Amino acid sequence: MTIRNSIEPAAYLEVHGITKRYGRFTALNGVSFTVERGEFVSVLGPSGCGKTTILRVVSGLERQEQGAVRIAGRDVSALPTARRNVGIVFQSYALFPNLTAAQNVAYGLNASAGAREATARRVTELLRLVGLEGKRSTYPSQLSGGQQQRVALARAMALSPDILLLDEPLSALDAQVRLRLRGEIKELQRRLGVTAMMVTHDQEEALTMADRILVMDHGVVVQQGVPREIYEAPANPFVAAFIGSMNFLTGAQKLGEGFFELNGRRVQAAREPQPLAVGQKVSLGIRPEDVDLDKGGLAREEQFQARVSRLEYRGPSTRVTLVLTQTHPETRIEADLPAARARVLGLAPGDAVRLEFPAGRVSAYAAA
């Protein structure tokens, strides 16, 4: 999917040409993207890439130097947060410690005498949605981290926002709670049909929760697409290395359409994100789980000889660090073996193995 340079009128959230500077540092450099109604978009990138800044600009917590933000067809570029009708969930929960769960959710709802009954119904409905109906009288200090984040989520949804903004909502939670809560957030978003934008540095969160991912680096969007596209067809080496793990085999040279030479072996690559000329030096990328590995024997023409350097047991899989012995200098590469395959091979450090790189799983990038 290509990055959109123009604004599509049908989009529910339209971000166009946003530039934001802090002194001499440019946090956002002409960022443009759109989010459709009911879509869950994740903004993913390393620390300092600008992902939190773009969320703050969309929410109105930061004012951009250039560009425009439109929500549901309304230009909100100059409006304060209170007039943008956005719900925000922070990683620190930001609950009022002196208010109960129900009172936190009700905060901001109409508290006039005539509206009390409607407010009570709305609070009960939201607490039921997040599975905390029995905790309505409980204070934040008496709730677990996951429960506090559910209260924060219910509070953000209380005013029926046009867009739900989530700023690293799961980063403060332990692994098991994160795993459970990310499924609950996605299910709630889908059930309510709310448009959502989540900032995260966690690739697994983005891949499992988002309908579409925007990858940022140094203040710009470098790729956007559905999770499978981002993972399986990264646009450049940065995306390839940041999303999951990627082996890069340097020193290859393009022979012709889809074919490359690496230390006397011919390797076929299915993807060239940017056009490459015949004879050009390239790096070949393949993910560890795509490396075909077999024990012993002589390597065929399309295979590489290697030896096992290290084994890392990971439960469902084993990460095998290998050294290609036919490259100069010797090249390290990693392969992930499912547990059943690892048991069959019974590898040990020093073992000789044969590697093959399936053509459909190799990408070629211009050498740095």
Side-chain angles (χ1 to χ4, degrees):
M1 181 179 293
T2 56
I3 296 171
R4 300 169 186 168
N5 294 315
S6 61
I7 296 300
E8 298 179 12
Y12 201 62
L13 169 64
E14 306 167 11
V15 174
H16 182 62
I18 296 294
T19 296
K20 174 66 181 177
R21 300 182 183 90
Y22 298 99
R24 295 184 177 181
F25 176 69
T26 301
L28 299 172
N29 189 8
V31 172
S32 297
F33 62 87
T34 60
V35 180
E36 305 301 323
R37 181 189 288 271
E39 190 177 23
F40 192 121
V41 167
S42 178
V43 184
L44 177 65
S47 297
C49 72
K51 60 186 185 294
T52 295
T53 304
I54 192 61
L55 182 139
R56 291 177 65 84
V57 167
V58 169
S59 69
L61 294 172
E62 295 279 359
R63 183 67 61 86
Q64 69 278 7
E65 273 81 37
Q66 298 174 8
V69 177
R70 297 179 66 85
I71 298 175
R74 185 169 63 113
D75 190 341
V76 300
S77 305
L79 297 182
T81 303
R83 295 184 58 196
R84 296 194 182 199
N85 193 28
V86 296
I88 309 175
V89 178
F90 299 100
Q91 68 180 74
S92 59
Y93 320 135
L95 300 177
F96 297 105
N98 59 321
L99 300 181
T100 65
Q103 290 168 335
N104 266 283
V105 175
Y107 190 85
L109 291 172
N110 193 333
S112 63
R116 284 176 187 165
E117 188 176 331
T119 295
R121 285 198 304 270
R122 178 66 171 158
V123 169
T124 298
E125 174 192 10
L126 288 165
L127 288 174
R128 186 184 299 119
L129 277 173
V130 297
L132 291 177
E133 192 175 10
K135 299 286 186 179
R136 59 181 303 116
S137 299
T138 306
Y139 289 91
S141 62
Q142 300 169 312
L143 297 170
S144 68
Q147 290 171 333
Q148 290 183 62
Q149 196 59 292
R150 288 189 185 94
V151 174
L153 184 62
R155 183 179 62 185
M157 296 299 301
L159 291 171
S160 300
D162 288 327
I163 291 182
L164 179 64
L165 302 174
L166 303 123
D167 184 10
E168 304 265 12
L170 306 179
S171 63
L173 304 173
D174 63 55
Q176 289 299 319
V177 176
R178 275 202 314 270
L179 189 64
R180 184 171 66 250
L181 198 52
R182 74 188 186 199
E184 292 178 7
I185 290 175
K186 178 60 181 175
E187 177 58 31
L188 182 63
Q189 179 266 339
R190 184 184 290 116
R191 192 187 319 167
L192 297 177
V194 66
T195 305
M197 175 178 156
M198 179 181 73
V199 161
T200 183
H201 67 276
D202 189 306
Q203 300 95 334
E204 192 170 308
E205 275 180 22
L207 290 169
T208 56
M209 295 175 70
D211 299 314
R212 188 159 50 93
I213 296 173
L214 310 179
V215 184
M216 292 192 67
D217 185 34
H218 292 94
V220 298
V221 177
V222 293
Q223 187 176 3
Q224 65 173 287
V226 299
R228 184 178 294 274
E229 178 184 358
I230 296 291
Y231 187 81
E232 296 191 357
N236 57 40
F238 166 77
V239 177
F242 186 73
I243 311 295
S245 298
M246 180 69 83
N247 294 300
F248 289 104
L249 303 169
T250 59
Q253 187 175 28
K254 183 168 181 176
L255 298 175
E257 190 62 37
F259 289 95
F260 301 82
E261 181 270 331
L262 178 66
N263 281 91
R265 290 286 195 273
R266 193 168 77 159
V267 179
Q268 191 173 355
R271 291 181 295 276
E272 294 181 26
Q274 292 84 34
L276 301 169
V278 173
Q280 185 174 349
K281 291 291 186 182
V282 305
S283 291
L284 301 177
I286 184 167
R287 296 205 179 275
E289 66 269 23
D290 292 326
V291 176
D292 281 348
L293 183 156
D294 210 347
K295 194 174 181 180
L298 294 175
R300 300 192 304 270
E301 182 182 357
E302 70 276 12
Q303 294 180 325
F304 287 83
Q305 204 78 39
R307 71 171 182 273
V308 177
S309 173
R310 187 164 67 94
L311 297 165
E312 185 178 281
Y313 178 70
R314 298 184 174 186
S317 66
T318 296
R319 170 66 58 89
V320 186
T321 302
L322 303 140
V323 177
L324 299 182
T325 56
Q326 294 166 304
T327 59
H328 305 285
E330 291 185 339
T331 301
R332 288 188 177 274
I333 188 171
E334 294 179 330
D336 286 341
L337 300 178
R341 179 64 174 160
R343 283 193 292 269
V344 168
L345 290 175
L347 295 174
D351 282 350
V353 295
R354 292 171 285 122
L355 306 183
E356 191 169 338
F357 309 133
R361 312 308 303 162
V362 180
S363 297
Y365 303 97

mmCIF file of all heavy atoms in Angstrom, residues 285-307:
data_model
loop_
_atom_site.group_PDB
_atom_site.id
_atom_site.type_symbol
_atom_site.label_atom_id
_atom_site.label_comp_id
_atom_site.label_asym_id
_atom_site.label_seq_id
_atom_site.Cartn_x
_atom_site.Cartn_y
_atom_site.Cartn_z
ATOM 1 N N GLY A 285 17.405 -10.065 2.233
ATOM 2 C CA GLY A 285 16.769 -10.210 3.532
ATOM 3 C C GLY A 285 15.856 -11.424 3.583
ATOM 4 O O GLY A 285 15.078 -11.662 2.659
ATOM 5 N N ILE A 286 15.960 -12.186 4.669
ATOM 6 C CA ILE A 286 15.068 -13.329 4.886
ATOM 7 C C ILE A 286 14.835 -13.468 6.385
ATOM 8 O O ILE A 286 15.755 -13.331 7.195
ATOM 9 C CB ILE A 286 15.626 -14.631 4.283
ATOM 10 C CG1 ILE A 286 14.611 -15.767 4.444
ATOM 11 C CG2 ILE A 286 16.984 -14.995 4.887
ATOM 12 C CD1 ILE A 286 14.938 -17.005 3.623
ATOM 13 N N ARG A 287 13.589 -13.735 6.767
ATOM 14 C CA ARG A 287 13.269 -13.858 8.180
ATOM 15 C C ARG A 287 13.713 -15.231 8.705
ATOM 16 O O ARG A 287 13.717 -16.227 7.951
ATOM 17 C CB ARG A 287 11.771 -13.651 8.402
ATOM 18 C CG ARG A 287 11.317 -12.236 8.033
ATOM 19 C CD ARG A 287 10.077 -11.820 8.773
ATOM 20 N NE ARG A 287 9.655 -10.473 8.439
ATOM 21 C CZ ARG A 287 10.113 -9.367 9.016
ATOM 22 N NH1 ARG A 287 11.023 -9.460 9.977
ATOM 23 N NH2 ARG A 287 9.677 -8.173 8.646
ATOM 24 N N PRO A 288 14.062 -15.308 9.999
ATOM 25 C CA PRO A 288 14.565 -16.572 10.562
ATOM 26 C C PRO A 288 13.624 -17.757 10.375
ATOM 27 O O PRO A 288 14.075 -18.879 10.144
ATOM 28 C CB PRO A 288 14.746 -16.240 12.049
ATOM 29 C CG PRO A 288 15.026 -14.772 12.069
ATOM 30 C CD PRO A 288 14.170 -14.205 10.971
ATOM 31 N N GLU A 289 12.306 -17.507 10.458
ATOM 32 C CA GLU A 289 11.367 -18.624 10.334
ATOM 33 C C GLU A 289 11.256 -19.138 8.900
ATOM 34 O O GLU A 289 10.669 -20.200 8.653
ATOM 35 C CB GLU A 289 9.978 -18.229 10.838
ATOM 36 C CG GLU A 289 9.276 -17.161 10.020
ATOM 37 C CD GLU A 289 9.535 -15.750 10.493
ATOM 38 O OE1 GLU A 289 10.574 -15.522 11.152
ATOM 39 O OE2 GLU A 289 8.707 -14.871 10.212
ATOM 40 N N ASP A 290 11.825 -18.389 7.925
ATOM 41 C CA ASP A 290 11.735 -18.791 6.528
ATOM 42 C C ASP A 290 12.975 -19.535 6.042
ATOM 43 O O ASP A 290 13.003 -20.008 4.898
ATOM 44 C CB ASP A 290 11.495 -17.558 5.645
ATOM 45 C CG ASP A 290 10.125 -16.951 5.863
ATOM 46 O OD1 ASP A 290 9.178 -17.720 6.132
ATOM 47 O OD2 ASP A 290 9.985 -15.719 5.773
ATOM 48 N N VAL A 291 13.995 -19.620 6.872
ATOM 49 C CA VAL A 291 15.220 -20.329 6.476
ATOM 50 C C VAL A 291 14.981 -21.839 6.550
ATOM 51 O O VAL A 291 14.582 -22.363 7.587
ATOM 52 C CB VAL A 291 16.396 -19.929 7.395
ATOM 53 C CG1 VAL A 291 17.644 -20.751 7.050
ATOM 54 C CG2 VAL A 291 16.694 -18.440 7.278
ATOM 55 N N ASP A 292 15.186 -22.528 5.448
ATOM 56 C CA ASP A 292 15.098 -23.995 5.428
ATOM 57 C C ASP A 292 16.438 -24.578 5.869
ATOM 58 O O ASP A 292 17.497 -24.193 5.345
ATOM 59 C CB ASP A 292 14.762 -24.499 4.014
ATOM 60 C CG ASP A 292 13.289 -24.360 3.694
ATOM 61 O OD1 ASP A 292 12.518 -24.091 4.628
ATOM 62 O OD2 ASP A 292 12.916 -24.486 2.514
ATOM 63 N N LEU A 293 16.385 -25.517 6.786
ATOM 64 C CA LEU A 293 17.614 -26.047 7.390
ATOM 65 C C LEU A 293 17.527 -27.561 7.456
ATOM 66 O O LEU A 293 16.499 -28.117 7.838
ATOM 67 C CB LEU A 293 17.762 -25.434 8.794
ATOM 68 C CG LEU A 293 18.996 -25.739 9.641
ATOM 69 C CD1 LEU A 293 19.203 -24.616 10.651
ATOM 70 C CD2 LEU A 293 18.831 -27.054 10.396
ATOM 71 N N ASP A 294 18.616 -28.215 7.082
ATOM 72 C CA ASP A 294 18.690 -29.670 7.213
ATOM 73 C C ASP A 294 20.086 -30.036 7.698
ATOM 74 O O ASP A 294 21.051 -29.284 7.502
ATOM 75 C CB ASP A 294 18.387 -30.357 5.884
ATOM 76 C CG ASP A 294 17.746 -31.731 6.090
ATOM 77 O OD1 ASP A 294 17.772 -32.233 7.237
ATOM 78 O OD2 ASP A 294 17.225 -32.284 5.118
ATOM 79 N N LYS A 295 20.197 -31.196 8.314
ATOM 80 C CA LYS A 295 21.431 -31.594 8.973
ATOM 81 C C LYS A 295 22.326 -32.398 8.042
ATOM 82 O O LYS A 295 21.854 -33.284 7.324
ATOM 83 C CB LYS A 295 21.106 -32.407 10.226
ATOM 84 C CG LYS A 295 22.265 -32.609 11.175
ATOM 85 C CD LYS A 295 21.770 -33.293 12.454
ATOM 86 C CE LYS A 295 22.894 -33.500 13.438
ATOM 87 N NZ LYS A 295 22.429 -34.170 14.675
ATOM 88 N N GLY A 296 23.622 -32.047 8.051
ATOM 89 C CA GLY A 296 24.631 -32.847 7.369
ATOM 90 C C GLY A 296 24.508 -32.865 5.864
ATOM 91 O O GLY A 296 23.691 -32.193 5.255
ATOM 92 N N GLY A 297 25.356 -33.667 5.208
ATOM 93 C CA GLY A 297 25.326 -33.832 3.769
ATOM 94 C C GLY A 297 26.013 -32.690 3.034
ATOM 95 O O GLY A 297 26.398 -31.682 3.616
ATOM 96 N N LEU A 298 26.170 -32.875 1.722
ATOM 97 C CA LEU A 298 26.791 -31.860 0.884
ATOM 98 C C LEU A 298 25.740 -30.887 0.379
ATOM 99 O O LEU A 298 24.634 -31.292 0.009
ATOM 100 C CB LEU A 298 27.512 -32.516 -0.300
ATOM 101 C CG LEU A 298 28.727 -33.401 0.054
ATOM 102 C CD1 LEU A 298 29.255 -34.084 -1.202
ATOM 103 C CD2 LEU A 298 29.814 -32.567 0.724
ATOM 104 N N ALA A 299 26.085 -29.639 0.361
ATOM 105 C CA ALA A 299 25.148 -28.608 -0.097
ATOM 106 C C ALA A 299 24.979 -28.676 -1.607
ATOM 107 O O ALA A 299 25.951 -28.783 -2.351
ATOM 108 C CB ALA A 299 25.645 -27.228 0.318
ATOM 109 N N ARG A 300 23.721 -28.640 -2.062
ATOM 110 C CA ARG A 300 23.447 -28.553 -3.496
ATOM 111 C C ARG A 300 23.763 -27.140 -3.985
ATOM 112 O O ARG A 300 24.078 -26.236 -3.196
ATOM 113 C CB ARG A 300 21.989 -28.914 -3.764
ATOM 114 C CG ARG A 300 21.611 -30.326 -3.331
ATOM 115 C CD ARG A 300 20.251 -30.718 -3.899
ATOM 116 N NE ARG A 300 19.217 -29.776 -3.520
ATOM 117 C CZ ARG A 300 18.479 -29.884 -2.415
ATOM 118 N NH1 ARG A 300 18.676 -30.890 -1.566
ATOM 119 N NH2 ARG A 300 17.534 -28.988 -2.140
ATOM 120 N N GLU A 301 23.629 -26.938 -5.309
ATOM 121 C CA GLU A 301 24.011 -25.664 -5.917
ATOM 122 C C GLU A 301 23.275 -24.489 -5.285
ATOM 123 O O GLU A 301 23.846 -23.414 -5.114
ATOM 124 C CB GLU A 301 23.741 -25.706 -7.421
ATOM 125 C CG GLU A 301 24.156 -24.428 -8.150
ATOM 126 C CD GLU A 301 23.831 -24.481 -9.632
ATOM 127 O OE1 GLU A 301 23.336 -25.522 -10.103
ATOM 128 O OE2 GLU A 301 24.066 -23.478 -10.303
ATOM 129 N N GLU A 302 21.996 -24.678 -4.933
ATOM 130 C CA GLU A 302 21.196 -23.572 -4.407
ATOM 131 C C GLU A 302 21.247 -23.499 -2.885
ATOM 132 O O GLU A 302 20.559 -22.682 -2.273
ATOM 133 C CB GLU A 302 19.737 -23.702 -4.871
ATOM 134 C CG GLU A 302 18.965 -24.858 -4.251
ATOM 135 C CD GLU A 302 19.176 -26.189 -4.944
ATOM 136 O OE1 GLU A 302 20.113 -26.281 -5.775
ATOM 137 O OE2 GLU A 302 18.420 -27.131 -4.651
ATOM 138 N N GLN A 303 22.082 -24.359 -2.259
ATOM 139 C CA GLN A 303 22.157 -24.384 -0.799
ATOM 140 C C GLN A 303 23.486 -23.803 -0.297
ATOM 141 O O GLN A 303 24.444 -23.657 -1.065
ATOM 142 C CB GLN A 303 22.006 -25.820 -0.289
ATOM 143 C CG GLN A 303 20.642 -26.418 -0.539
ATOM 144 C CD GLN A 303 20.539 -27.839 -0.029
ATOM 145 O OE1 GLN A 303 21.514 -28.605 -0.072
ATOM 146 N NE2 GLN A 303 19.366 -28.210 0.459
ATOM 147 N N PHE A 304 23.498 -23.472 0.996
ATOM 148 C CA PHE A 304 24.709 -22.963 1.645
ATOM 149 C C PHE A 304 25.109 -23.907 2.766
ATOM 150 O O PHE A 304 24.256 -24.415 3.496
ATOM 151 C CB PHE A 304 24.459 -21.562 2.229
ATOM 152 C CG PHE A 304 24.351 -20.480 1.196
ATOM 153 C CD1 PHE A 304 23.153 -20.248 0.531
ATOM 154 C CD2 PHE A 304 25.443 -19.684 0.883
ATOM 155 C CE1 PHE A 304 23.038 -19.250 -0.418
ATOM 156 C CE2 PHE A 304 25.355 -18.685 -0.076
ATOM 157 C CZ PHE A 304 24.147 -18.467 -0.730
ATOM 158 N N GLN A 305 26.417 -24.108 2.882
ATOM 159 C CA GLN A 305 26.945 -24.901 3.988
ATOM 160 C C GLN A 305 27.097 -23.997 5.213
ATOM 161 O O GLN A 305 27.499 -22.839 5.103
ATOM 162 C CB GLN A 305 28.310 -25.478 3.617
ATOM 163 C CG GLN A 305 28.690 -26.722 4.391
ATOM 164 C CD GLN A 305 27.979 -27.967 3.866
ATOM 165 O OE1 GLN A 305 27.814 -28.141 2.675
ATOM 166 N NE2 GLN A 305 27.550 -28.822 4.786
ATOM 167 N N ALA A 306 26.731 -24.507 6.379
ATOM 168 C CA ALA A 306 26.833 -23.712 7.606
ATOM 169 C C ALA A 306 27.120 -24.631 8.780
ATOM 170 O O ALA A 306 26.985 -25.856 8.688
ATOM 171 C CB ALA A 306 25.541 -22.935 7.840
ATOM 172 N N ARG A 307 27.514 -24.017 9.886
ATOM 173 C CA ARG A 307 27.677 -24.784 11.124
ATOM 174 C C ARG A 307 26.897 -24.084 12.233
ATOM 175 O O ARG A 307 26.727 -22.866 12.225
ATOM 176 C CB ARG A 307 29.157 -24.934 11.503
ATOM 177 C CG ARG A 307 29.827 -23.686 11.978
ATOM 178 C CD ARG A 307 31.228 -23.961 12.534
ATOM 179 N NE ARG A 307 31.846 -22.735 13.031
ATOM 180 C CZ ARG A 307 32.546 -21.894 12.302
ATOM 181 N NH1 ARG A 307 32.751 -22.146 11.009
ATOM 182 N NH2 ARG A 307 33.060 -20.808 12.838
#
